[in-house]
Amino acid sequence: MPELPEVEALAAFLRENAVGRVITRIDLAGIQSIKTFDPPLSAFAGLEVTGASRHGKFLDLDVSGLHLVVHLARAGWLHWRENLPPAPPKPGKGPLALRVHLDNGQGFDLTEQGTRKGLAVYAVRNPSEVPGIARLGPDALQVDREQFAALMGSRSGQVKGALTDQTLVSGVGNAYSDEILHAARLSPFKMANKMDEDELVRLYDAMRATLTDALERQVGQKAATLKGEKRSGLTVHARTGLPCPVCGDTVREVSFADTSLQYCPTCQTGGKPLADRRMSKLLR
Ligand SMILES: [Zn+2]
Protein backbone atom coordinates (compact mmCIF):
# COMPACT_ATOMS: atom_id res chain seq x y z
CA MET A 1 0.00 0.00 0.00
CA PRO A 2 1.36 3.43 -0.89
CA GLU A 3 2.21 5.37 2.27
CA LEU A 4 3.51 8.88 3.03
CA PRO A 5 6.77 8.66 0.99
CA GLU A 6 5.13 7.14 -2.10
CA VAL A 7 2.17 9.53 -2.09
CA GLU A 8 4.43 12.53 -1.48
CA ALA A 9 6.63 11.41 -4.39
CA LEU A 10 3.56 11.09 -6.62
CA ALA A 11 2.47 14.61 -5.62
CA ALA A 12 5.96 15.92 -6.45
CA PHE A 13 5.86 14.12 -9.80
CA LEU A 14 2.45 15.64 -10.62
CA ARG A 15 3.66 19.12 -9.61
CA GLU A 16 6.40 18.78 -12.24
CA ASN A 17 4.40 17.09 -14.98
CA ALA A 18 0.73 17.97 -14.61
CA VAL A 19 0.59 21.42 -13.01
CA GLY A 20 0.05 24.07 -15.69
CA ARG A 21 -1.74 21.65 -18.02
CA VAL A 22 -5.45 21.72 -18.73
CA ILE A 23 -7.58 18.62 -18.15
CA THR A 24 -9.46 17.75 -21.32
CA ARG A 25 -11.40 14.73 -20.04
CA ILE A 26 -11.70 12.26 -17.17
CA ASP A 27 -12.75 8.69 -18.02
CA LEU A 28 -14.26 6.62 -15.24
CA ALA A 29 -13.66 2.90 -15.84
CA GLY A 30 -14.27 1.51 -12.35
CA ILE A 31 -17.66 2.87 -11.30
CA GLN A 32 -17.15 1.75 -7.68
CA SER A 33 -14.08 3.96 -7.25
CA ILE A 34 -15.91 7.31 -7.34
CA LYS A 35 -17.38 8.23 -3.94
CA THR A 36 -18.98 11.60 -4.75
CA PHE A 37 -21.48 12.91 -7.31
CA ASP A 38 -21.20 16.68 -7.03
CA PRO A 39 -19.27 18.23 -8.71
CA PRO A 40 -19.41 15.68 -11.57
CA LEU A 41 -16.12 14.54 -13.16
CA SER A 42 -17.17 16.39 -16.33
CA ALA A 43 -16.78 19.67 -14.39
CA PHE A 44 -12.97 19.21 -14.48
CA ALA A 45 -12.80 19.38 -18.29
CA GLY A 46 -11.31 22.67 -19.49
CA LEU A 47 -9.78 23.54 -16.11
CA GLU A 48 -6.08 23.98 -15.40
CA VAL A 49 -4.24 21.80 -12.87
CA THR A 50 -2.94 24.32 -10.32
CA GLY A 51 -1.41 22.13 -7.62
CA ALA A 52 -0.73 18.64 -6.25
CA SER A 53 -0.35 17.82 -2.57
CA ARG A 54 -0.80 15.14 0.06
CA HIS A 55 -2.96 14.74 3.17
CA GLY A 56 -1.82 11.65 5.08
CA LYS A 57 -2.01 8.92 2.43
CA PHE A 58 -4.47 10.89 0.28
CA LEU A 59 -3.28 12.49 -2.97
CA ASP A 60 -4.91 15.84 -3.79
CA LEU A 61 -4.93 17.32 -7.29
CA ASP A 62 -6.01 20.96 -7.19
CA VAL A 63 -7.74 21.82 -10.46
CA SER A 64 -8.48 25.56 -10.41
CA GLY A 65 -10.32 25.25 -7.10
CA LEU A 66 -11.91 21.86 -7.66
CA HIS A 67 -10.12 18.93 -6.05
CA LEU A 68 -9.63 15.41 -7.33
CA VAL A 69 -8.69 13.49 -4.17
CA VAL A 70 -7.43 9.91 -4.41
CA HIS A 71 -6.86 7.20 -1.82
CA LEU A 72 -4.87 4.41 -3.47
CA ALA A 73 -5.80 1.82 -0.79
CA ARG A 74 -3.92 -1.46 -0.76
CA ALA A 75 -3.21 -2.20 -4.41
CA GLY A 76 -3.85 1.09 -6.18
CA TRP A 77 -1.27 3.05 -8.15
CA LEU A 78 -0.87 6.03 -10.47
CA HIS A 79 0.69 5.39 -13.88
CA TRP A 80 1.90 8.34 -15.89
CA ARG A 81 1.17 7.97 -19.61
CA GLU A 82 3.09 9.81 -22.34
CA ASN A 83 0.43 9.00 -24.93
CA LEU A 84 -3.15 8.29 -23.95
CA PRO A 85 -5.47 6.57 -26.41
CA PRO A 86 -8.32 8.90 -27.39
CA ALA A 87 -10.99 6.18 -27.26
CA PRO A 88 -12.69 5.83 -23.87
CA PRO A 89 -11.78 2.65 -21.95
CA LYS A 90 -14.27 -0.20 -21.49
CA PRO A 91 -15.78 0.13 -18.02
CA GLY A 92 -15.38 -2.64 -15.45
CA LYS A 93 -12.62 -4.54 -17.30
CA GLY A 94 -9.16 -4.93 -15.83
CA PRO A 95 -7.31 -2.83 -13.26
CA LEU A 96 -8.10 0.64 -14.71
CA ALA A 97 -10.24 2.75 -12.36
CA LEU A 98 -9.89 6.27 -13.75
CA ARG A 99 -8.02 8.04 -16.56
CA VAL A 100 -7.15 11.74 -16.66
CA HIS A 101 -6.38 13.29 -20.07
CA LEU A 102 -4.29 16.47 -20.31
CA ASP A 103 -4.17 18.96 -23.17
CA ASN A 104 -0.75 17.78 -24.43
CA GLY A 105 -1.87 14.17 -24.97
CA GLN A 106 -0.27 12.99 -21.73
CA GLY A 107 -2.10 12.07 -18.56
CA PHE A 108 -2.37 9.35 -15.97
CA ASP A 109 -4.22 6.18 -15.10
CA LEU A 110 -5.32 5.20 -11.62
CA THR A 111 -5.22 1.42 -11.46
CA GLU A 112 -5.93 -1.25 -8.89
CA GLN A 113 -4.82 -4.87 -9.02
CA GLY A 114 -6.86 -7.73 -7.55
CA THR A 115 -10.53 -8.31 -6.91
CA ARG A 116 -10.84 -6.45 -3.60
CA LYS A 117 -11.48 -2.90 -4.74
CA GLY A 118 -10.58 -0.20 -2.22
CA LEU A 119 -9.25 2.63 -4.41
CA ALA A 120 -11.38 5.73 -3.76
CA VAL A 121 -11.73 8.95 -5.76
CA TYR A 122 -13.49 12.05 -4.44
CA ALA A 123 -14.40 15.09 -6.56
CA VAL A 124 -14.85 17.92 -4.06
CA ARG A 125 -14.61 21.70 -3.69
CA ASN A 126 -12.60 21.39 -0.48
CA PRO A 127 -10.39 18.43 0.57
CA SER A 128 -11.88 18.55 4.10
CA GLU A 129 -15.18 17.31 2.58
CA VAL A 130 -13.49 13.90 2.31
CA PRO A 131 -14.36 12.08 5.58
CA GLY A 132 -10.99 10.31 5.77
CA ILE A 133 -9.16 13.65 5.49
CA ALA A 134 -11.36 15.40 8.05
CA ARG A 135 -10.46 12.67 10.59
CA LEU A 136 -6.66 12.73 10.00
CA GLY A 137 -4.33 13.24 12.92
CA PRO A 138 -1.18 15.40 12.54
CA ASP A 139 1.17 14.42 9.72
CA ALA A 140 3.97 12.02 10.68
CA LEU A 141 6.59 14.41 9.28
CA GLN A 142 5.11 17.49 10.93
CA VAL A 143 4.09 16.34 14.40
CA ASP A 144 6.59 17.51 17.04
CA ARG A 145 8.16 15.33 19.73
CA GLU A 146 5.91 16.54 22.58
CA GLN A 147 2.70 16.16 20.61
CA PHE A 148 3.80 12.71 19.41
CA ALA A 149 4.52 11.59 22.99
CA ALA A 150 1.10 12.86 24.11
CA LEU A 151 -0.68 11.03 21.27
CA MET A 152 1.09 7.73 22.02
CA GLY A 153 0.39 8.16 25.72
CA SER A 154 -3.32 8.51 24.96
CA ARG A 155 -3.50 5.05 23.38
CA SER A 156 -3.87 1.84 25.41
CA GLY A 157 -3.37 -0.53 22.43
CA GLN A 158 -0.22 -1.87 20.79
CA VAL A 159 2.26 0.60 19.28
CA LYS A 160 1.97 -1.03 15.83
CA GLY A 161 -1.75 -0.20 15.80
CA ALA A 162 -1.18 3.31 17.17
CA LEU A 163 1.40 4.15 14.49
CA THR A 164 -0.90 3.03 11.67
CA ASP A 165 -4.07 4.68 13.05
CA GLN A 166 -4.52 7.61 10.67
CA THR A 167 -6.67 9.53 13.17
CA LEU A 168 -3.75 9.55 15.63
CA VAL A 169 -0.76 10.26 13.33
CA SER A 170 -1.24 10.29 9.56
CA GLY A 171 0.87 8.88 6.73
CA VAL A 172 2.27 5.65 8.17
CA GLY A 173 0.86 2.26 7.10
CA ASN A 174 1.76 -1.40 7.48
CA ALA A 175 5.11 -1.37 5.66
CA TYR A 176 6.72 1.71 7.19
CA SER A 177 5.43 0.93 10.69
CA ASP A 178 7.38 -2.37 10.51
CA GLU A 179 10.44 -0.45 9.37
CA ILE A 180 10.07 2.29 12.00
CA LEU A 181 9.63 -0.20 14.87
CA HIS A 182 12.69 -2.12 13.69
CA ALA A 183 14.78 1.06 13.51
CA ALA A 184 13.53 2.03 17.00
CA ARG A 185 14.29 -1.50 18.34
CA LEU A 186 10.75 -1.78 19.71
CA SER A 187 8.37 -4.74 19.76
CA PRO A 188 5.26 -4.15 17.64
CA PHE A 189 3.28 -5.54 20.61
CA LYS A 190 4.61 -2.92 23.06
CA MET A 191 1.73 -0.94 24.58
CA ALA A 192 1.75 2.61 23.21
CA ASN A 193 1.03 4.21 26.59
CA LYS A 194 3.62 2.08 28.42
CA MET A 195 6.67 3.48 26.62
CA ASP A 196 9.29 5.30 28.69
CA GLU A 197 10.96 8.56 27.66
CA ASP A 198 13.87 6.82 25.91
CA GLU A 199 11.55 4.54 23.91
CA LEU A 200 9.38 7.46 22.82
CA VAL A 201 12.43 9.40 21.64
CA ARG A 202 13.72 6.36 19.73
CA LEU A 203 10.34 5.84 18.11
CA TYR A 204 9.93 9.48 17.13
CA ASP A 205 13.46 9.74 15.70
CA ALA A 206 13.06 6.43 13.83
CA MET A 207 9.75 7.58 12.34
CA ARG A 208 11.29 10.78 11.01
CA ALA A 209 14.47 9.11 9.74
CA THR A 210 12.66 6.21 8.05
CA LEU A 211 10.13 8.41 6.27
CA THR A 212 12.69 11.06 5.30
CA ASP A 213 15.08 8.44 3.89
CA ALA A 214 12.30 6.79 1.90
CA LEU A 215 11.13 10.16 0.62
CA GLU A 216 14.64 11.13 -0.53
CA ARG A 217 15.00 7.84 -2.39
CA GLN A 218 11.69 8.32 -4.17
CA VAL A 219 11.25 11.96 -5.03
CA GLY A 220 12.58 12.49 -8.54
CA GLN A 221 11.82 8.91 -9.59
CA LYS A 222 9.42 8.33 -12.43
CA ALA A 223 5.92 7.46 -11.24
CA ALA A 224 6.21 4.06 -12.91
CA THR A 225 9.29 3.04 -10.92
CA LEU A 226 8.39 4.37 -7.46
CA LYS A 227 6.90 1.10 -6.27
CA GLY A 228 10.01 -0.94 -7.03
CA GLU A 229 12.22 1.54 -5.22
CA LYS A 230 10.13 1.21 -2.06
CA ARG A 231 10.86 -2.51 -1.85
CA SER A 232 14.61 -2.13 -2.16
CA GLY A 233 14.92 0.08 0.91
CA LEU A 234 13.13 -2.23 3.36
CA THR A 235 14.88 -4.03 6.22
CA VAL A 236 12.14 -6.23 7.74
CA HIS A 237 8.82 -5.57 6.01
CA ALA A 238 7.93 -8.33 3.49
CA ARG A 239 11.27 -10.02 4.29
CA THR A 240 10.08 -13.01 6.35
CA GLY A 241 12.79 -15.68 6.53
CA LEU A 242 15.56 -13.39 5.25
CA PRO A 243 18.43 -12.18 7.44
CA CYS A 244 18.06 -8.89 9.35
CA PRO A 245 20.56 -6.47 7.74
CA VAL A 246 21.48 -5.12 11.20
CA CYS A 247 22.15 -8.30 13.23
CA GLY A 248 21.76 -11.26 10.85
CA ASP A 249 18.91 -12.91 12.81
CA THR A 250 16.03 -14.31 10.74
CA VAL A 251 13.15 -11.89 10.15
CA ARG A 252 9.91 -13.34 11.54
CA GLU A 253 6.26 -12.75 10.87
CA VAL A 254 2.99 -12.53 12.79
CA SER A 255 -0.11 -13.19 10.65
CA PHE A 256 -3.57 -11.77 11.16
CA ALA A 257 -6.81 -12.40 9.26
CA ASP A 258 -5.94 -10.18 6.29
CA THR A 259 -2.54 -8.73 7.07
CA SER A 260 0.82 -9.58 8.63
CA LEU A 261 3.71 -7.85 10.32
CA GLN A 262 7.43 -8.59 10.19
CA TYR A 263 10.08 -7.99 12.84
CA CYS A 264 13.54 -9.07 13.98
CA PRO A 265 13.55 -10.90 17.35
CA THR A 266 17.14 -9.97 18.23
CA CYS A 267 16.70 -6.27 17.42
CA GLN A 268 13.17 -5.85 18.75
CA THR A 269 11.94 -8.46 21.23
CA GLY A 270 15.00 -9.56 23.23
CA GLY A 271 15.42 -12.60 20.96
CA LYS A 272 11.97 -14.01 21.78
CA PRO A 273 9.56 -14.82 18.93
CA LEU A 274 6.15 -13.18 19.29
CA ALA A 275 3.04 -15.32 19.58
CA ASP A 276 1.39 -15.85 16.22
CA ARG A 277 -2.29 -16.64 16.86
CA ARG A 278 -2.82 -18.05 13.40
CA MET A 279 0.14 -20.40 13.66
CA SER A 280 -0.85 -21.61 17.14
CA LYS A 281 -4.38 -22.27 15.87
CA LEU A 282 -3.05 -24.37 13.01
CA LEU A 283 -0.80 -26.37 15.31
CA ARG A 284 -3.46 -27.11 17.91
ZN1 LIG B 1 18.06 -7.66 13.76
Side-chain angles (χ1 to χ4, degrees):
M1 175 194 271
E3 301 179 28
L4 184 155
E6 290 79 38
V7 180
E8 185 64 45
L10 285 175
F13 182 89
L14 290 173
R15 282 195 291 273
E16 268 190 28
N17 293 278
V19 166
R21 312 276 10 156
V22 171
I23 290 180
T24 52
R25 197 174 87 220
I26 299 181
D27 297 327
L28 182 65
I31 308 297
Q32 74 289 335
S33 59
I34 184 85
K35 305 301 175 191
T36 53
F37 57 89
D38 179 47
L41 289 174
S42 59
F44 288 80
L47 299 181
E48 184 185 333
V49 179
T50 45
S53 60
R54 176 186 64 78
H55 314 272
K57 296 188 271 187
F58 290 85
L59 181 65
D60 175 8
L61 199 65
D62 187 338
V63 187
S64 301
L66 293 182
H67 292 259
L68 192 69
V69 176
V70 179
H71 191 271
L72 292 164
R74 193 177 281 227
W77 197 240
L78 184 151
H79 296 272
W80 184 254
R81 305 279 305 266
E82 297 290 337
N83 283 298
L84 279 174
K90 289 197 180 72
K93 295 275 183 215
L96 181 65
L98 187 122
R99 173 171 289 166
V100 174
H101 298 258
L102 301 173
D103 59 353
N104 58 353
Q106 299 185 334
F108 60 86
D109 286 347
L110 298 175
T111 63
E112 186 173 31
Q113 300 296 333
T115 49
R116 271 180 52 185
K117 299 298 183 190
L119 184 145
V121 179
Y122 307 82
V124 291
R125 292 178 181 84
N126 189 321
S128 65
E129 291 169 42
V130 177
I133 291 182
R135 285 194 299 265
L136 288 178
D139 191 82
L141 279 183
Q142 280 167 12
V143 65
D144 67 29
R145 205 184 291 264
E146 287 69 34
Q147 195 182 10
F148 181 74
L151 288 166
M152 288 295 138
S154 74
R155 188 53 60 100
S156 58
Q158 294 166 347
V159 62
K160 167 85 179 175
L163 269 183
T164 53
D165 180 347
Q166 301 303 296
T167 67
L168 207 63
V169 178
S170 62
V172 177
N174 193 36
Y176 287 109
S177 59
D178 282 350
E179 295 298 300
I180 290 165
L181 289 165
H182 179 251
R185 304 190 312 281
L186 283 171
S187 167
F189 286 2
K190 178 97 194 169
M191 289 297 151
N193 63 356
K194 296 274 159 60
M195 285 186 285
D196 63 28
E197 186 66 30
D198 178 56
E199 291 169 327
L200 279 167
V201 168
R202 265 162 36 210
L203 183 60
Y204 180 80
D205 290 349
M207 178 174 76
R208 292 196 61 89
T210 301
L211 295 175
T212 306
D213 285 356
L215 197 52
E216 279 170 5
R217 279 200 305 275
Q218 298 194 2
V219 168
Q221 297 268 320
K222 283 197 165 172
T225 61
L226 287 173
K227 225 174 191 174
E229 182 58 22
K230 172 178 167 180
R231 289 276 175 251
S232 74
L234 300 176
T235 58
V236 287
H237 183 73
R239 296 190 73 246
T240 306
L242 295 170
C244 166
V246 173
C247 72
D249 194 1
T250 303
V251 172
R252 286 178 174 258
E253 172 172 302
V254 180
S255 306
F256 306 96
D258 62 348
T259 183
S260 63
L261 65 81
Q262 285 84 37
Y263 67 101
C264 168
T266 296
C267 290
Q268 296 177 257
T269 59
K272 277 180 289 201
L274 295 169
D276 184 336
R277 286 196 199 97
R278 197 183 69 164
M279 281 310 289
S280 7
K281 228 177 243 170
L282 290 172
L283 295 173
R284 207 181 288 159

